[in-house]
Amino acid sequence: MSIRRFGSPEYRFASIDSTMTEAQRIAEAGAPEGAIVIADTQTAGRGRLGRSWISEPGVGVYFSLILRPAIPAPRLPALTLAVGLGVAQGIESTCRVECDLRWPNDVLLSSKKCAGILVEASSEAGRTRHLLVGVGINVNHATVPSELADIATSARIETGCEYDREELLHHVLRGVERYYGMFLDEGVDAITQAFTRKSSYVLHKRVAVLNGSEETRGTTAGLDPSGGLLLQTDDGSIEPILAGSVRPIESV
Ligand code: BTN
């Protein structure tokens, strides 16, 4: 299946509240698959699980991409994994570094987060009308806020080099195209296998999963067929994790 090249039409803003809000507006107005909203800075950048996303001007890459896959809602979790694989590939080709992926789609450098992905779906009668794929990448940040220093980083902090953000955007879009194509052509299994090969979080990792106020601890035990994370909890049962945030904990 051929995919239209992502990144066209392109809507650029020096500053915006959130590229997700603008992407939602243009998607509802009929923007095609591949349309992109890019901002140099966001005043109200949104993260997963109701968090905010700090979007400093001049140093990061912040965009929302519109996708229109004709797939039923149960296949969406695997698509979010595919986007993570694509973003990681784009960062690796530009910055010559090795990324890790933390389920579902945090991109890590040296075990710290350098890129986050927010996927918002608009569905009707069980079919996906459009998806908004929001990506924020810490690129040329010389530092991160001190309260995040243990968990967040940038490409520059890790490598000592600054990068051309346009080149990085280009490579990230090509990466997302590639894994979106794999998802559409080869299916969920191809994506879960690729994610399992790439991520240190899928197997044998001691983690805590926070979902709302509930924390579950255990050891990761692979992905389920839909892309959920399997957790062998400390009482020995296997639980599929479909949402929440995962953090590593020390082995006992
Ligand atoms: C996460 O919590 O890891 C997801 C962060 C997603 C941030 C990006 S920046 C571009 C787009 N616009 C937003 O408001 N959020 C996403």
Side-chain angles (χ1 to χ4, degrees):
M1 165 180 283
S2 76
I3 297 170
R4 106 181 244 118
R5 263 172 108 70
F6 293 162
S8 166
E10 176 189 283
Y11 302 88
R12 283 210 183 235
F13 295 82
S15 176
I16 198 169
D17 49 359
S18 163
T19 57
M20 298 303 275
T21 310
E22 181 62 13
Q24 173 74 14
R25 197 185 67 69
I26 66 169
E28 278 171 6
E33 176 160 277
I36 192 170
V37 178
I38 308 166
D40 185 51
T41 184
Q42 301 179 111
T43 53
R46 304 205 296 265
R48 288 180 64 234
L49 308 169
R51 298 181 183 132
S52 58
W53 184 263
I54 301 168
S55 312
E56 239 186 277
V59 287
V61 167
Y62 315 111
F63 70 85
S64 297
L65 179 69
I66 294 171
L67 299 182
R68 296 189 178 277
I71 57 164
R75 290 182 64 205
L76 285 178
L79 181 50
T80 75
L81 304 183
V83 175
L85 284 160
V87 173
Q89 180 187 288
I91 294 173
E92 289 183 341
S93 339
T94 312
C95 307
R96 307 278 158 205
V97 282
E98 174 98 11
C99 296
D100 191 5
L101 285 166
R102 178 172 57 208
W103 186 94
N105 51 21
D106 289 339
V107 184
L108 310 180
L109 286 176
S110 304
S111 306
K112 296 181 184 180
K113 181 161 167 173
C114 76
I117 298 163
L118 175 65
V119 178
E120 292 180 348
S122 168
S123 308
E124 200 172 36
R127 300 297 294 179
T128 308
R129 276 198 322 195
H130 64 253
L131 285 183
L132 307 179
V133 173
V135 179
I137 310 174
N138 297 338
V139 188
N140 292 328
H141 302 56
T143 58
V144 292
S146 56
E147 66 278 15
L148 298 177
D150 287 344
I151 55 170
T153 191
S154 73
R156 177 177 170 186
I157 292 169
E158 295 308 319
T159 64
C161 298
E162 290 190 57
Y163 298 94
D164 180 336
R165 289 180 294 150
E166 288 306 314
E167 186 189 340
L168 177 59
L169 173 65
H170 172 86
H171 282 126
V172 165
L173 291 176
R174 298 296 83 84
V176 175
E177 272 171 13
R178 173 182 170 201
Y179 283 99
Y180 183 59
M182 182 186 283
F183 170 82
L184 295 177
D185 294 346
E186 298 171 43
V188 169
D189 281 1
I191 296 299
T192 55
Q193 282 164 23
F195 194 91
T196 301
R197 282 193 298 273
K198 182 82 191 143
S199 168
S200 76
Y201 273 77
V202 172
L203 284 166
H204 316 306
K205 184 101 162 175
R206 284 283 302 161
V207 297
V209 180
L210 192 62
N211 197 353
S213 58
E214 194 177 314
E215 186 180 89
T216 314
R217 290 180 169 228
T219 304
T220 59
L223 296 176
D224 73 15
S226 68
L229 183 65
L230 295 171
L231 189 69
Q232 175 152 43
T233 61
D234 291 347
D235 67 11
S237 60
I238 302 270
E239 269 189 28
I241 306 293
L242 304 173
S245 66
V246 173
R247 69 178 168 82
I249 50 177
E250 296 302 314
S251 304
V252 280

